[in-house]
Amino acid sequence: MYRKTRLYGLTYEFHSLKEIMAKANESRSGDDLAGISAENMKERMAAKLVLADILLSDIRNTPLVDPDTDDVSQLIENNVNEEVYQVVKNWTVADLREYILSDDQMGKDLLTLGSGLTSEMIAAVAKIMSNLDLIQAASKIKIITHCQTKIGQQGVLASRAQPNHPSDHLKGMTASLYEALSFGIGDAVIGINPVIDTTENISALLHETKKVIDHFQIPTQNCVLSHVTSQMRAIEKGAPADLIFQSLAGTQAGNESFGISLSMLDEATAMINEKGTATGPNRWYFETGQGSELSSDAHFDIDQVTLEARCYGLARKFSPFIVNTVVGFIGPEYLYDSKQVIRAGLEDHFMGKMHGLPMGVDVCYTNHMNADQNDMDTLSTLLGTAGVNFVIGVPMADDCMLNYQSLSYHDIATLRSVLRLDPAPEFKCWLENIGLMENGKLTQLAGDPTFFLQNV
Amino acid sequence: MENHQLEGLRKFTPARIGVGRTGTRPLTKDFLSFRIDHAAAVDAVYGEVSSELLQEFNLFAVETCYGTKEEYLKRPDKGRVLSVEGEQLISERCVRNPQVQIVISDGLSASAINENLLDVYPALLDSLSLYQIEVGTPFFVKGGRVACMDAIGEILNPEAFILLIGERPGLVCAHSLSAYMCYRPRKGMKESERMVISNIHRRGTPPIEAAAHIGTLVNKMLEQKASGVSLVV
């Protein structure tokens, strides 16, 4: 494996693939905090140069975490499509980048390619891609998934309505949901982050969202984003859930700190397939985000881009309906400012798509991060051009429960208008039937939550 | 638009609903009001605690190793370690082995201290004296994180510890305060040994009520010689 290069008269030598992978990352505070980032720009470029020449087989043969002690490593290793891998194993990471960006490769070719790559290979190529490279490559890949409805088609930008409430008040949640629906938001999922993690409360939220869906015959799916075990208890007791949710980490130790195991995810899969209320085959909703492994001291000195890719390696085994990175939620010690959040959002979206995942992004930031709503305008527009499957909306971008900012319902309607994108087909049809949309545009009636009171 | 119907929906949630639109964009007033709340939150993070306020309560100030505000945000570990000068000052000025040590820190919101200390602090002293708990020499830590209480515990060896610290600001409230408490703070302390009363501000947990609650909890810690998950409350 190449570990040495000369740049401007200086020799740069790296001691491990782990070191090369970390130092080749674009700058981010989380890698600095972990003490694994490049010392300066030239060292960063030297690492990229060395990484570009590394063979894919070398990456596969140099596990960053031992598969014998880490079940995520093992799962990624076991799920490689060997037929595809045999074709590409002697490529360098540079060859991989150029193949992905070549005009000859369509989305379906990239999906086939992705099945023969490990998560580490996908992370490696992202490190030598520019922001526009990441957009160009991801925009070719379309991934359609099917829960109660289908999303991911060409020309579609779907959305999660996130009608959170600081005390899980059902009427408060519903009021916020009406606002979302009135802007045409909620086709990917109506998904609530609960405050109270009891079976009773989760059941109540599932019942209430299902009631609204049934009453207005909305072609979408519901989900309550609590710990997977508490959702399972609610579903066991008969609560109606189309999707089941869990946050994922990229190492076994990280997942243990989330209180989950692979066998737990298997059990949840069996339960949602048997007792879930959806009709389609894709019933998982996963969230991820760079930095979570470091925050639980489960990172093994691996950089946060590579760890994030490993989350996707884990997620793809479960054929989820939707996956999103909560890119700016974690805080400035992992992604310091808007430049880092924008970069991470584009990386995560690309890496997810290369894994064949129906990738969305929660375009967001906290108040102690050096970013503001203008930066979210920028990132969401970039992701819209990159073909992101869905984004998340909250009233006026302000989540009054989680105390962070995402996109406004207005913003998603605007992205659709500017980028000429539609809601998911069945949802669009519903919006037209009830009079909120006409010829692909919101009608005069749209943007008013009391619309749904007239029709109760 | 039926206004009473809209009010009917709005009364159930603090979410910014029923704001209307022009085209697909928000109306100017609502858009600016959102930006104003964000500005308050950012200013709370980057703001300074008033030195007059500290003087009023006779609180001397020490710093952690945070260096700059940027470094403070990027390196939470540095906010857990006291500067050498800070350690010295604490050693010189503070009573050792107090029953309870009170420390105030800006944390992620200087506004939280500026807005609430006047209400919380005297009430807290009253509440502790009601239980006849003796308080050590209080002081202010600039650039502190929650676990700076462990480093201070190593120097002063208090039985119980109360840290009043600014929370990460939200848009609903940029000056919310938290009180972190523990029994026998020391290096390597588990997070599960800490207790917290959060959301302290006039429209959240009222400062006077919070002060009384802190007094009760600290009294229980002293009685049971424990804190966190093992404390029976």
Side-chain angles (χ1 to χ4, degrees), chain A residues 26-323:
Chain A
E26 293 294 294
S27 169
R28 67 205 63 214
S29 50
D31 289 343
D32 296 341
L33 182 63
I36 56 174
S37 54
E39 294 254 323
N40 52 43
M41 287 298 275
K42 282 213 293 276
E43 193 191 17
R44 185 182 317 286
M45 289 317 299
K48 285 184 199 277
L49 204 57
V50 167
L51 181 60
D53 281 338
I54 288 176
L55 298 180
L56 301 187
S57 58
D58 283 335
I59 294 179
R60 188 170 185 193
N61 296 332
T62 317
L64 301 181
V65 200
D66 187 349
D68 289 338
T69 59
D70 183 287
D71 56 14
V72 179
S73 291
Q74 198 174 57
L75 184 145
I76 292 168
E77 173 57 31
N78 292 345
N79 281 323
V80 172
N81 178 334
E82 293 295 341
E83 211 177 312
V84 176
Y85 173 73
Q86 288 306 320
V87 178
V88 302
K89 67 178 181 182
N90 291 322
W91 292 7
T92 63
V93 178
D95 294 335
L96 179 59
R97 173 179 172 276
E98 287 161 22
Y99 181 90
I100 288 171
L101 293 172
S102 148
D103 278 338
D104 303 333
Q105 310 317 322
M106 302 293 129
K108 63 176 177 22
D109 303 316
L110 297 187
L111 283 172
T112 306
L113 169 67
S115 72
L117 303 177
T118 63
S119 302
E120 287 80 357
M121 296 172 200
I122 293 172
V125 75
K127 292 163 198 280
I128 58 164
M129 290 170 79
S130 76
N131 286 4
L132 198 51
D133 287 352
L134 297 170
I135 291 171
Q136 162 75 5
S139 74
K140 295 198 230 178
I141 305 172
K142 284 289 140 201
I143 294 148
I144 298 172
T145 49
H146 181 193
C147 181
Q148 194 71 304
T149 64
K150 287 182 183 171
I151 66 166
Q153 302 85 344
Q154 181 70 42
V156 167
L157 174 63
S159 56
R160 167 180 163 193
Q162 184 171 297
N164 292 343
H165 188 279
S167 60
D168 293 335
H169 191 289
L170 293 179
K171 284 185 174 164
M173 181 282 291
T174 309
S176 188
L177 175 57
Y178 287 168
E179 175 93 355
L181 295 169
S182 78
F183 278 91
I185 309 306
D187 43 346
V189 61
I190 295 166
I192 299 161
N193 301 90
V195 181
I196 307 153
D197 198 16
T198 60
T199 309
E200 191 186 10
N201 185 56
I202 289 157
S203 298
L205 288 167
L206 285 167
H207 277 289
E208 195 67 18
T209 44
K210 202 63 176 177
K211 201 170 92 186
V212 175
I213 289 174
D214 289 345
H215 182 82
F216 295 105
Q217 298 185 306
I218 310 170
T220 188
Q221 27 280 317
N222 71 339
C223 189
V224 173
L225 290 78
S226 65
H227 193 269
V228 65
T229 49
S230 45
Q231 292 165 78
M232 287 168 76
R233 280 195 290 272
I235 294 165
E236 185 64 51
K237 289 193 167 174
D242 293 321
L243 285 162
I244 192 157
F245 167 85
Q246 181 55 43
S247 293
L248 298 180
T251 60
Q252 181 176 339
N255 286 317
E256 281 163 5
S257 82
F258 282 153
I260 60 164
S261 63
L262 298 192
S263 60
M264 193 184 283
L265 297 179
D266 287 333
E267 273 173 53
T269 306
M271 177 176 280
I272 195 72
N273 284 341
E274 191 198 339
K275 299 195 165 157
T277 36
T279 49
N282 307 115
R283 303 199 180 175
W284 268 106
Y285 176 7
F286 293 122
E287 280 191 339
T288 64
Q290 291 189 24
S292 61
E293 298 82 5
L294 175 58
S295 78
S296 59
D297 199 21
H299 63 296
F300 305 101
D301 289 329
I302 301 168
D303 70 275
Q304 64 189 40
V305 177
T306 304
L307 290 168
E308 180 70 9
R310 288 166 54 93
C311 296
Y312 306 141
L314 169 58
R316 75 173 156 187
K317 172 171 185 256
F318 296 92
S319 306
F321 176 65
I322 42 175
V323 180

Side-chain angles (χ1 to χ4, degrees), chain A residues 399-419:
Chain A
D399 189 304
C400 61
M401 191 285 272
L402 291 171
N403 271 326
Y404 79 123
Q405 286 84 251
S406 179
L407 297 181
S408 169
Y409 299 140
H410 300 79
D411 297 338
I412 300 169
T414 307
L415 290 171
R416 285 173 176 163
S417 155
V418 171
L419 301 171

Side-chain angles (χ1 to χ4, degrees), chain A residues 359-398:
Chain A
M359 200 65 198
V361 176
D362 187 359
V363 177
C364 63
Y365 62 109
T366 58
N367 291 317
H368 60 325
M369 182 175 272
N370 191 359
D372 64 23
Q373 202 63 32
N374 287 326
D375 299 313
M376 302 305 109
D377 290 357
T378 305
L379 178 55
S380 58
T381 308
L382 294 176
L383 286 165
T385 63
V388 70
N389 277 40
F390 74 104
V391 288
I392 293 180
V394 293
M396 281 302 288
D398 173 12

